[in-house]
Amino acid sequence: LNNWQVVDQHHLLKLFTFPDFKSALAFVNQIGVLAEEENHHPNINFTWGKVEVSIWTHKIEGLHENDFIFASKIDAITT
Amino acid sequence: LNNWQVVDQHHLLKLFTFPDFKSALAFVNQIGVLAEEENHHPNINFTWGKVEVSIWTHKIEGLHENDFIFASKIDAITT
């Protein structure tokens, strides 16, 4: 994983930056497709040029192997 | 305006709820269209079934009349 932070031993967090609002929103939609495919739904906090993604497993209120796999798939979108 | 909170005299905040991820994301995209049309870009924090929208004017780091107008336009999307 690239630059994901483990926060409070509870979730993975990463900030992605973009040159404008449109490309940030496009990335949000790509994450949305992945989330529906995997039935794993992150928290997405975004605004002009910035998308902050948080991932955890709600059932255990913490981190599971699947969260790390999901994070790597999000990284794969951007490369 | 319907159920928007003024937070710290800095931004307007409202939580919208939805029955699933897909409809939350659809709403996010409708806000995105409006944001680009108005060249006014809110902060959107969302996850499965929830979309939290924050609006303020970056230039003044606070609230301007336009923020209230933008909030009412977001309300209009949902009705």
Side-chain angles (χ1 to χ4, degrees), chain A residues 21-22 25 28-29 31-33 35-36 39 41-48 56 58, chain B residues 21-22 25 28-29 31-33 35-36 39 41-48 56 58:
Chain A
F21 183 79
K22 201 176 160 176
L25 182 55
V28 166
N29 279 292
I31 297 174
V33 170
E36 291 288 74
N39 196 26
H41 298 92
N43 188 95
I44 300 175
N45 189 17
F46 83 103
T47 189
W48 198 97
W56 71 97
H58 294 259
Chain B
F21 183 80
K22 200 176 160 175
L25 182 56
V28 166
N29 279 294
I31 297 174
V33 170
E36 291 287 75
N39 196 25
H41 299 91
N43 188 95
I44 301 175
N45 188 18
F46 83 105
T47 190
W48 197 97
W56 71 96
H58 294 259

Side-chain angles (χ1 to χ4, degrees), chain B residues 10-63:
Chain B
H10 173 267
H11 60 272
L12 296 174
L13 178 71
K14 185 170 173 180
L15 176 66
F16 298 84
T17 57
F18 297 89
D20 54 30
F21 183 80
K22 200 176 160 175
S23 47
L25 182 56
F27 180 56
V28 166
N29 279 294
Q30 289 177 294
I31 297 174
V33 170
L34 187 65
E36 291 287 75
E37 277 172 10
E38 306 274 329
N39 196 25
H40 197 50
H41 299 91
N43 188 95
I44 301 175
N45 188 18
F46 83 105
T47 190
W48 197 97
K50 282 187 214 168
V51 179
E52 196 177 54
V53 183
S54 307
I55 303 172
W56 71 96
T57 297
H58 294 259
K59 211 181 282 183
I60 58 170
E61 265 308 312
L63 289 166

